[in-house]
Amino acid sequence: MNLTAVLDHTALGALFRADPFFTGLYIEASRATGRVIIPSLSVPAAERQVAGVTRPGAPAVMPVHVGAAVGDGTAGC
């Protein structure tokens, strides 16, 4: 399956709380069978809603390919 999901601040909070659906999306993306996109302003909004969501090591903090973040086409954007 090749799935692309865009996560907003509420989805980041759910991922932080180990929601089964969002955890599954994270696992699929880590297997390179899907892609997760997080708009940059969703991160501080999630932190305001759920304290700790952006701390180092939190499951909702994922490495981002810079090309994908800026949409330069290097990641299939």
Side-chain angles (χ1 to χ4, degrees):
M1 175 195 316
N2 192 356
L3 177 70
T4 298
V6 179
L7 304 184
D8 67 357
H9 65 289
T10 59
L12 287 177
L15 180 60
F16 179 71
R17 291 185 299 272
D19 177 272
F21 177 77
F22 291 105
T23 301
L25 287 177
Y26 181 84
I27 291 168
E28 289 301 314
S30 71
R31 292 181 180 153
T33 57
R35 184 169 61 162
V36 174
I37 299 169
I38 304 169
S40 60
L41 291 178
S42 293
V43 177
E47 180 64 32
R48 286 198 334 220
Q49 188 175 41
V50 181
V53 82
T54 60
R55 75 171 189 271
V61 177
M62 297 174 267
V64 175
H65 181 271
V66 175
V70 297
D72 68 359
T74 61
C77 293

